Amino acid sequence: MHQPLVAVSTDVRQFDNYTWHAAPQQYLEAAISGAGVLPLLVPSFGDRLDFDELLSSVDGVMLTGSKSNVDPRLYGEEATEANGPYDPARDSTTMPLIRRAIERGVPLLAICRGIQELNVALGGSLATEIQEREGSMDHRAPVSDIQDERFAIRQTVTIKPGSCLAGVFGPGDIMVNSVHRQAVERLGPKLQVEAVAPDGTVEAVSVRDSRAFAVGVQWHPEYWVGTDDVSQRIFKAFGDAVRAHAVARHAARTAAE
């Protein structure tokens, strides 16, 4: 079977005297080698995009992590410089893309900023600077110029029995590389918790009664997909869901001809 297309979110960045719509290579590499899909970068042009046309042409959606945070005004809080940086163009694109993908039953994998976007898009809110909360772990990356140290697998998360991810990993504990200073606070009504950190921080969610695979993880499976079994499993599960959607879409189109 051909490589099915997966729409990938992009950040808007300024460098080299240009405005760039870009995604880190680790996510694109993981999509190709881990999920077996062809990543298609979606420019962050908000409502100028025809999301239905886009979702009629792809078989999955992947939301990447980012240095930027979701604008707190989208969940009723004040936007401050300390909580930035922000990327309003990305927010204006991912929010409707998430909602339409879920409505249409297009498989979705949301990573790091992606899980936060998923929660906000479905009516939830975020907690900021969670390392400052009493009883909370420090989920931030260690200070280092070496990326392998910053993204080292060092944290345990517990998978909820009977959850979607229990079908991927089995119930119980797995080790991940969770790196973040924001987290889910009020859970979106359509979401359910899939995994938690030892301090109770939500580390994974899924969409209740979703027509397809629709999962968000706070950690970074893209970084070690070439060597880590946990990271490989989640991308394989996403890739399998994308291929199943492609087969079903092709069958429906053939039946209609």
Side-chain angles (χ1 to χ4, degrees):
M1 183 182 177
H2 71 286
Q3 284 180 314
L5 290 174
V6 166
V8 179
S9 59
T10 56
D11 300 329
V12 178
R13 298 289 181 88
Q14 306 289 333
F15 57 91
D16 289 345
N17 295 320
Y18 288 97
T19 299
W20 298 77
H21 294 237
Q25 179 169 319
Q26 285 92 343
Y27 295 92
L28 308 180
E29 175 65 38
I32 294 172
S33 63
V37 301
L38 180 60
L40 175 69
L41 298 186
V42 178
S44 291
F45 286 129
D47 61 9
R48 294 169 64 188
L49 303 182
D50 185 332
F51 293 104
D52 283 315
E53 183 66 26
L54 171 63
L55 292 168
S56 293
S57 305
V58 301
D59 292 296
V61 172
M62 183 173 72
L63 306 174
T64 68
S66 175
K67 184 177 181 179
S68 68
N69 288 328
V70 176
D71 192 324
R73 288 170 291 191
L74 294 174
Y75 50 90
E77 302 289 342
E78 181 182 356
T80 65
E81 185 176 344
N83 186 234
Y86 303 119
D87 188 341
R90 171 164 169 160
D91 290 340
S92 70
T93 305
T94 55
M95 296 294 150
L97 177 60
I98 289 166
R99 297 184 190 111
R100 290 300 292 141
I102 291 168
E103 289 170 5
R104 293 176 60 119
V106 177
L108 171 72
L109 176 60
I111 298 170
C112 193
R113 189 195 207 270
I115 186 180
Q116 297 170 12
E117 290 169 315
L118 174 61
N119 189 49
V120 172
L122 298 185
S125 67
L126 304 176
T128 63
E129 309 304 336
I130 59 171
Q131 69 278 357
E132 298 175 1
R133 299 188 301 188
E134 184 177 354
S136 178
M137 301 164 54
D138 191 341
H139 294 258
R140 294 175 298 177
V143 178
S144 175
D145 293 329
I146 302 172
Q147 284 292 81
D148 283 5
E149 292 181 359
R150 297 184 68 249
F151 286 90
I153 295 170
R154 63 171 61 86
Q155 180 181 306
T156 301
V157 300
T158 301
I159 305 297
K160 297 283 189 180
S163 65
C164 174
L165 289 183
V168 176
F169 305 119
D173 293 346
I174 58 173
M175 294 295 293
V176 301
N177 54 344
S178 193
V179 178
H180 56 105
R181 61 188 178 95
Q182 293 201 141
V184 170
E185 185 168 66
R186 183 182 70 252
L187 189 67
K190 294 182 179 180
L191 295 174
Q192 61 188 11
V193 175
E194 292 275 326
V196 295
D199 62 359
T201 299
V202 174
E203 289 284 342
V205 300
S206 65
V207 178
R208 283 197 183 97
D209 303 319
S210 175
R211 293 163 53 194
F213 182 94
V215 168
V217 297
Q218 189 61 74
W219 65 88
H220 286 271
E222 81 288 346
Y223 197 86
W224 297 107
V225 73
T227 57
D228 174 57
D229 179 64
V230 167
S231 302
Q232 291 168 354
R233 286 191 185 197
I234 194 162
F235 272 99
K236 182 180 184 303
F238 176 56
D240 288 346
V242 169
R243 281 180 285 278
H245 184 268
V247 169
R249 191 162 67 91
H250 175 74
R253 185 169 61 246
T254 300
E257 292 176 351

